[in-house]
């Protein structure tokens, strides 16, 4: 029978992003990771709202939000992300008028 005192202690792996980072803000706003073209830039999407967010990397200074139906976009400083409560797109506005 193995000696239980030599077994390593159980560990927990925490894969959550830092609360103050861009990744946590994307999740809070309802987006999910979609793809990376070069390994550092990232595209996140919310398919229901037809919304995409693009940024150069987790240390990016800005995020570009694009309405995928109208192709209208806006660039937001990463420091302002915590102050954004919602992002309205053509698609999301259609559902709210019922």
């Amino acid at each position: 029978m193995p000696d239980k005192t030599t077994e390593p202690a159980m560990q927990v792996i925490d894969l959550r992003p830092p609360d103050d980072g861009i990744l946590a803000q994307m999740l809070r706003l309802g987006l999910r990771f979609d793809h990376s073209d070069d390994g550092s830039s990232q595209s996140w999407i919310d398919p229901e709202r037809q919304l995409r967010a693009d940024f150069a990397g987790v240390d990016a200074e800005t995020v570009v939000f694009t309405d995928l139906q109208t192709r209208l976009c806006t660039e937001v400083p990463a420091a302002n992300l915590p102050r954004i409560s919602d992002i309205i797109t053509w698609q999301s506005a259609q559902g709210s008028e019922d």
Side-chain angles (χ1 to χ4, degrees), residues 6-79:
T6 60
E7 291 182 19
M10 296 298 292
Q11 296 180 345
V12 174
I13 298 173
D14 188 351
L15 297 176
R16 295 174 295 176
D19 290 339
D20 60 348
I22 289 178
L23 302 183
Q25 294 303 319
M26 295 296 104
L27 293 167
R28 181 185 64 78
L29 291 167
L31 289 102
R32 65 176 172 82
F33 177 77
D34 184 50
H35 70 277
S36 175
D37 291 330
D38 62 8
S40 62
S41 66
Q42 296 187 23
S43 291
W44 287 60
I45 61 167
D46 179 339
E48 289 183 18
R49 289 188 286 176
Q50 292 291 296
L51 173 65
R52 185 181 76 218
D54 297 293
F55 50 94
V58 295
D59 296 334
E61 293 184 13
T62 59
V63 176
V64 177
F65 291 97
T66 304
D67 181 324
L68 295 174
Q69 289 187 330
T70 65
R71 301 292 293 155
L72 295 174
C73 63
T74 189
E75 188 171 338
V76 177

